[in-house]
Amino acid sequence: MISTGRARTFWVKVLIITLLFPVAYLLMLSLATQWIFPSVLPASLTLDRWSTLLGASNLFGSLLLSLGIALSVATISTFAGFFSSKHLAYHPQRSLWIRLSYFPFVLSPVIYAAVLYFYFIKLDLAGSFVGVILGQLLIAYPYSVILFSGFWSERIQQIEKLTQTLGGSRWQIYRRVLLPMAQGLLLVCFFQTFLISWFEYGLTTIIGVGKVQTLTLKVFQYINEANFYNAALASSLLVLPPIILLFFNRKYLFRQRW
Amino acid sequence: MVTPLKAEHISKSYGSEQVLDDLHLQLYSGETLSILGRSGCGKTTLLKILAGLEPADQGKVLVNDIDIQSLSPQAREVVYLYQEALLFPHLNVFENIAFGLRLRNRSEEEIKEHTLTMIDRLGLNGMNEKMPHQLSGGQQQRVSFGRALITNPSVLLLDEPFGSLDADTRSNMQQFFKNIAKQFDITAIFVTHNVKEAMLMGNRIATLANGSLSVFDSIDAFINSSNNVVQEEIAFWESVQARRSN
């Protein structure tokens, strides 16, 4: 029993180290003045790159831009998906609508963006902040609809009707019954759609026309330039918000519900 | 004297199938009317029309002599209870029962006082903090009744409320309903396909078949009527008795 417990503890530690190592490595690379093979550790560490890059190459601006886009996409797609999936779920042609929701994923986001690019130019949305949000919503929104379509069951419909006869208005039903019951799913959807937007590259490149420089685009730019130290810095910024989001929401995301 | 519920000329069809055909119904204060019918005969449709959850093709519904046909379900003072208790899974027993009062924005003191009294009368003392998944089927049904009764509805519509319970719990809940119906002076329609349950729960009985409702003035009138399910039930037990004698 003791040996089994110790073995489990050992493997848990190995797993944690394996997961944390890439993040720690990126952070150290972004702080290194010089780190040349075969040195195990960098010669010295400095905060200069962080302070210079945040100012000079507008990485902080990209961080804020990415946050703005990801938060907008996550909020809009989560709530729009929640409300519209209800109508789809109870629609006589339910299965057809749900099948259509898979369309952007079957086509691949990059091809999807290339196909729709013409309309973005016509609407003067190519290369704009709103255009990129709209483009990413074309992926995040169907994902949200698919995720919520399982929530709307006959039981939920019965609970809704029962609440009506108990005296609940449409708004009260949402506020006091449906939203609390879907709380866990809403959080998962928000988190997932945030990540979809946050790490989105292909679609953002096409719709953004290089004018909307999100953090993910910056990372690829530095990698293409073989600028590992700057790429490590941008990557550190890139992985930080999802980790913070996960850390603060862990008790809601992983909590056991009714 | 005010009539708690009256339905006149109610008709409803789905496509070519006529489910309810020019149906009339009247409920007296404090009585429970059992409606007996086979599965799919339109019992649930009738209740949903009365509750405003489904529109009738024609006819009108009056609650306390007021035409409520144009009113939304939340304004009708008619509570519809499903076969399952359908408690809110995110709320504990206290909050489930207090739900209707919160919808009506009652004060905290009033909510506390009324809810605790209801919990006591339902025999659920000590369970205030329990979540629905921690309750037995019978306890869940009690909470469901409490949640409906606390809103003081004019009429309760019960759609086979004990259908999902085991035989023992069902028997206990039938007795429980008889007690609270008397205690709270409930006016209700109790829908079931079980003859014994219909006779046990109702002050009067009605049968629904082929879209028509036949209301019997008393249980005796129902038993003595020809061509009804009671005769089948009696015949069944007589055949069992005969077989045992042989």
Side-chain angles (χ1 to χ4, degrees):
Chain A
M1 284 294 279
I2 294 168
S3 61
T4 315
R6 278 183 185 166
R8 187 182 290 172
T9 313
F10 171 76
W11 286 113
V12 167
K13 281 178 183 171
V14 168
L15 190 69
I16 290 170
I17 290 166
T18 311
L19 290 172
L20 287 180
F21 176 75
V23 182
Y25 172 73
L26 282 175
L27 201 63
M28 194 171 281
L29 191 62
S30 73
L31 291 168
T33 47
Q34 209 174 25
W35 196 356
I36 300 167
F37 184 80
S39 303
V40 178
L41 291 169
S44 61
L45 300 175
T46 177
L47 281 170
D48 286 355
R49 195 174 292 109
W50 277 79
S51 53
T52 319
L53 271 176
L54 285 176
S57 65
N58 203 18
L59 213 54
F60 188 65
S62 287
L63 174 71
L64 290 181
L65 183 71
S66 287
L67 272 175
I69 291 171
L71 287 173
S72 305
V73 169
T75 308
I76 296 168
S77 58
T78 300
F79 282 100
F82 181 73
F83 290 104
S84 55
S85 65
K86 181 185 172 188
H87 296 284
L88 297 190
Y90 299 142
H91 195 274
Q93 301 289 321
R94 178 182 192 271
S95 58
L96 173 72
W97 287 109
I98 298 296
R99 256 181 276 157
L100 280 174
S101 306
Y102 282 97
F103 185 70
F105 306 102
V106 174
L107 209 62
S108 137
V110 182
I111 298 168
Y112 193 44
V115 169
L116 295 173
Y117 186 53
F118 170 78
Y119 300 104
F120 278 83
I121 294 171
K122 278 284 177 193
L123 293 167
D124 204 22
L125 289 169
S128 72
F129 175 78
V130 177
V132 170
I133 290 177
L134 201 64
Q136 292 189 354
L137 276 173
L138 293 172
I139 304 295
Y141 171 64
Y143 173 84
S144 170
V145 168
I146 292 165
L147 193 72
F148 285 120
S149 61
F151 173 77
W152 303 107
S153 58
E154 199 186 326
R155 186 183 171 82
I156 294 288
Q157 207 172 19
Q158 289 178 345
I159 287 179
E160 210 179 327
K161 286 182 175 176
L162 170 73
T163 312
Q164 274 183 290
T165 66
L166 286 171
S169 65
R170 191 181 292 247
W171 163 240
Q172 283 175 319
I173 293 169
Y174 270 106
R175 192 169 74 88
R176 293 187 178 274
V177 181
L178 299 177
L179 288 172
M181 281 180 76
Q183 190 194 44
L185 210 54
L186 285 165
L187 276 165
V188 169
C189 185
F190 183 86
F191 189 66
Q192 291 287 341
T193 48
F194 180 89
L195 293 180
I196 287 172
S197 167
W198 187 252
F199 293 115
E200 169 53 45
Y201 176 73
L203 190 142
T204 311
T205 308
I206 293 173
I207 304 292
V209 216
K211 288 181 188 170
V212 183
Q213 285 285 308
T214 61
L215 211 51
T216 309
L217 262 63
K218 284 274 186 195
V219 171
F220 278 90
Q221 184 190 320
Y222 289 134
I223 290 170
N224 286 335
E225 291 169 1
N227 192 340
F228 302 119
Y229 299 110
N230 287 359
L233 171 56
S235 300
S236 300
L237 285 175
L238 197 65
V239 296
L240 220 56
I243 290 174
I244 292 170
L245 203 63
L246 188 65
F247 179 79
F248 284 109
N249 288 311
R250 69 191 186 285
K251 73 172 182 179
Y252 300 107
L253 283 168
F254 304 120
R255 189 172 68 184
Q256 195 185 354
R257 285 165 207 278
W258 41 88
Chain B
M1 190 164 168
V2 176
T3 308
L5 181 79
K6 199 172 182 181
E8 296 173 347
H9 304 290
I10 301 289
S11 291
K12 177 79 180 176
S13 56
Y14 295 107
S16 59
E17 190 190 354
Q18 184 85 34
V19 182
L20 303 173
D21 186 15
D22 197 31
L23 187 144
H24 290 258
L25 171 72
Q26 188 169 348
L27 220 59
Y28 303 113
S29 185
E31 79 160 346
T32 298
L33 174 71
S34 290
I35 297 183
L36 194 61
R38 295 181 200 281
S39 297
C41 72
K43 305 186 295 281
T44 298
T45 304
L46 172 62
L47 292 197
K48 285 188 173 172
I49 287 170
L50 297 177
L53 297 171
E54 221 168 283
D57 293 341
Q58 66 174 59
K60 65 177 179 179
V61 180
L62 297 102
V63 169
N64 298 325
D65 296 336
I66 298 165
D67 188 348
I68 57 157
Q69 202 56 29
S70 58
L71 294 182
S72 60
Q74 61 260 35
R76 291 190 172 205
E77 294 183 10
V78 175
V79 175
Y80 178 99
L81 294 182
Y82 287 81
Q83 190 178 74
E84 279 188 76
L86 296 178
L87 300 183
F88 304 120
H90 58 291
L91 300 178
N92 61 22
V93 168
F94 182 93
E95 286 302 328
N96 258 289
I97 293 175
F99 188 80
L101 299 179
R102 295 215 184 274
L103 291 179
R104 288 160 179 77
N105 297 317
R106 298 288 162 81
S107 69
E108 241 358 273
E109 299 92 76
E110 197 182 344
I111 289 172
K112 194 175 175 187
E113 188 192 328
H114 278 74
T115 309
L116 289 176
T117 307
M118 183 60 76
I119 286 172
D120 184 48
R121 291 172 82 174
L122 294 170
L124 291 167
N125 286 318
M127 294 191 177
N128 301 11
E129 300 297 323
K130 285 203 172 178
M131 298 303 283
H133 68 268
Q134 296 173 302
L135 304 175
S136 67
Q139 287 168 338
Q140 287 187 13
Q141 279 294 1
R142 283 174 190 237
V143 176
S144 172
F145 279 123
R147 182 177 58 181
L149 292 173
I150 207 162
T151 63
N152 197 23
S154 298
V155 180
L156 259 187
L157 303 175
L158 307 159
D159 195 353
E160 303 196 42
F162 310 136
S164 59
L165 303 176
D166 62 76
D168 277 350
T169 314
R170 188 176 184 142
S171 173
N172 288 337
M173 285 306 296
Q174 286 166 346
Q175 198 49 54
F176 169 76
F177 179 76
K178 293 290 282 181
N179 293 339
I180 59 161
K182 202 171 179 182
Q183 210 182 120
F184 288 89
D185 197 27
I186 294 170
T187 305
I189 293 182
F190 192 104
V191 154
T192 180
H193 59 258
N194 184 309
V195 186
K196 289 188 287 262
E197 189 169 65
M199 289 169 64
L200 196 66
M201 305 310 291
N203 302 99
R204 287 189 297 150
I205 294 185
T207 56
L208 184 60
N210 304 319
S212 300
L213 190 77
S214 311
V215 184
F216 299 91
D217 287 335
S218 65
I219 302 286
D220 284 341
F222 173 66
I223 293 170
N224 295 327
S225 69
S226 59
N227 192 25
N228 71 40
V229 278
V230 171
Q231 304 307 325
E232 289 172 22
E233 189 85 12
I234 291 168
F236 171 77
W237 289 111
E238 279 175 353
S239 70
V240 171
Q241 187 68 35
R243 239 179 290 155
R244 289 192 63 182
S245 309
N246 296 335

